[in-house]
Amino acid sequence: MEKVKLLEVKNLKVYYNSIWGDYKSVDDVSFIAYEGEVLSIAGESGCGKSTLVDGILGLIKPPGYIPSGEVIFEGKDLLKLSSEELRKIRWTKIAYVPQGAMNSLNPVIKIEEQMIDSILDHTNISREEARKLAISRLKEVGLPVEVAEMYPHELSGGMKQRVIIATAIALKPKLVIADEPTTALDVVAQKGILQLLRSLKEDYGITVIVVSHDFAVHAQIADRIAIMYAGKIVEVGPIYDVFKNPLHPYTKGLISSIPVIGKSYIKGIPGLAPSPLNWPSGCRFHPRCPFASEKCRNVEPILKEFNSERYVACHLSR
Ligand SMILES: Nc1ncnc2c1ncn2[C@@H]1O[C@H](COP(=O)(O)OP(=O)(O)OP(=O)(O)O)[C@@H](O)[C@H]1O
Ligand code: SF4
Ligand SMILES: [Mg+2]
């Protein structure tokens, strides 16, 4: 079956201005999310994942700015829309579960009221209709209806995250973007949230983009994965292929950093992630790469097709 593009990010740059110069946090990123897939975005802390998502959704505030790029969704460049037009698309068509969202629930307002207020902010339906919608979404994310009458402190972390997802999908968007949806949850709750996100695709055909620094999360949920390093995407491919045969040395390092039962050591990646204020020359991974050559230090590798489904930015791949 032919894949249909839902979201296409083209050469997106998101910089933060400072007295020391620009933090080039997202620096020429291109990727496609297809209808009905779970696309994972992986990479170490600070590589630009949340900035990328904020850039896509038009949420960059000064000193952040977007020097160039396009974000095509249903044929429109989201970066060219007014903030009111964008606000409408977020929620109705694209739902966002921001990093740490479950901690933003108001502790003194019942869950149901918070959900209703969010729904009414974005629709013209009556309060009673919004209430019915909130209850049905709570059920859809596997929560008992009693949760509607509870306060956030009465819920576990996993339940709070389900409430956030229930609110995000209230209007059945085409795309859900979840940033670090399982961080700070225990492993059982993590598994539940990942199954829930996967079910959005399987039960409702929603495209899901999951952002996480935790590679193990992606292994459980993704159809395809894009690996970010130092503000760029360095590898893209179907999750199984990337795990079985990672092409980029950074991806190899990430996979070898996943703890395995029975193994007493983890290989990991030597050295520290570089600063967006001063990215290394050539290949940005060269100071940490065991295969770095003179060419790597001077010439930046571009993301190139390896086969019809896989892309990699490394001079070693051809
Ligand atoms: N408001 C800001 N002003 C200046 N720099 C910023 C700002 N927000 C983010 N950055 C910088 O941009 C880079 C990318 O940050 P970002 O939060 O996007 O990373 P991340 O990959 O989401 O990390 P994490 O896994 O920790 O969530 C970081 O180096 C950060 O210091
Ligand atoms: S281009 Fe060179 S430094 Fe960069 S990942 Fe490939 S081998 Fe390593
Ligand atoms: Mg982040």
Side-chain angles (χ1 to χ4, degrees), residues 132-153:
K132 281 190 193 141
L133 197 58
I135 302 285
S136 76
R137 293 295 179 260
L138 285 175
K139 284 189 203 155
E140 281 172 18
V141 300
L143 287 171
V145 285
E146 292 75 28
V147 165
E149 291 290 318
M150 292 178 163
Y151 291 93
H153 71 87

Side-chain angles (χ1 to χ4, degrees), residues 28-196:
D28 204 357
V29 163
S30 301
F31 72 89
I32 294 169
Y34 293 102
E35 274 187 12
E37 73 168 349
V38 177
L39 173 69
S40 279
I41 299 180
E44 281 168 301
S45 188
C47 71
K49 304 180 297 297
S50 297
T51 304
L52 170 62
V53 171
D54 286 350
I56 291 170
L57 294 167
L59 296 171
I60 298 296
K61 302 258 163 12
Y65 72 104
I66 298 183
S68 58
E70 288 175 75
V71 177
I72 310 295
F73 179 79
E74 293 188 326
K76 283 186 192 156
D77 183 356
L78 299 186
L79 301 184
K80 294 209 168 86
L81 300 185
S82 68
S83 48
E84 189 46 37
E85 286 172 315
L86 249 183
R87 208 180 77 91
K88 259 191 215 144
I89 288 185
R90 287 197 301 265
W91 273 86
T92 53
K93 303 246 174 134
I94 305 179
Y96 179 35
V97 178
Q99 189 162 0
M102 65 185 188
N103 303 320
S104 66
L105 286 167
N106 190 323
V108 295
I109 300 178
K110 284 183 182 173
I111 295 300
E112 181 184 65
E113 296 306 319
Q114 300 195 45
M115 289 183 72
I116 291 171
D117 288 345
S118 293
I119 293 168
L120 292 180
D121 265 354
H122 299 89
T123 58
N124 296 321
I125 62 177
S126 69
R127 199 164 184 88
E128 196 39 45
E129 283 172 310
R131 185 182 310 279
K132 281 190 193 141
L133 197 58
I135 302 285
S136 76
R137 293 295 179 260
L138 285 175
K139 284 189 203 155
E140 281 172 18
V141 300
L143 287 171
V145 285
E146 292 75 28
V147 165
E149 291 290 318
M150 292 178 163
Y151 291 93
H153 71 87
E154 296 177 274
L155 307 180
S156 68
M159 290 168 92
K160 280 193 262 190
Q161 192 62 304
R162 280 175 196 266
V163 167
I164 296 289
I165 294 170
T167 313
I169 62 162
L171 304 179
K172 284 282 153 69
K174 287 191 134 185
L175 172 66
V176 170
I177 304 181
D179 191 358
E180 303 285 355
T182 58
T183 303
L185 297 180
D186 65 64
V187 279
V188 176
Q190 269 193 22
K191 201 170 169 59
I193 292 297
L194 294 176
Q195 278 167 350
L196 169 61

Side-chain angles (χ1 to χ4, degrees), residues 228-243:
M228 262 188 103
Y229 184 78
K232 287 189 173 287
I233 288 182
V234 296
E235 177 159 4
V236 181
I239 187 78
Y240 181 77
D241 298 352
V242 172
F243 254 85

Side-chain angles (χ1 to χ4, degrees), residues 193-207:
I193 292 297
L194 294 176
Q195 278 167 350
L196 169 61
L197 288 170
R198 182 95 200 156
S199 76
L200 297 183
K201 164 199 149 141
E202 273 152 18
D203 298 345
Y204 308 112
I206 295 175
T207 300

Side-chain angles (χ1 to χ4, degrees), residues 248-249 283 285-286 289 291-292 296 301 314-316:
H248 197 283
C283 173
F285 189 55
H286 86 250
C289 181
F291 311 106
C296 302
C314 172
H315 294 309
L316 287 184

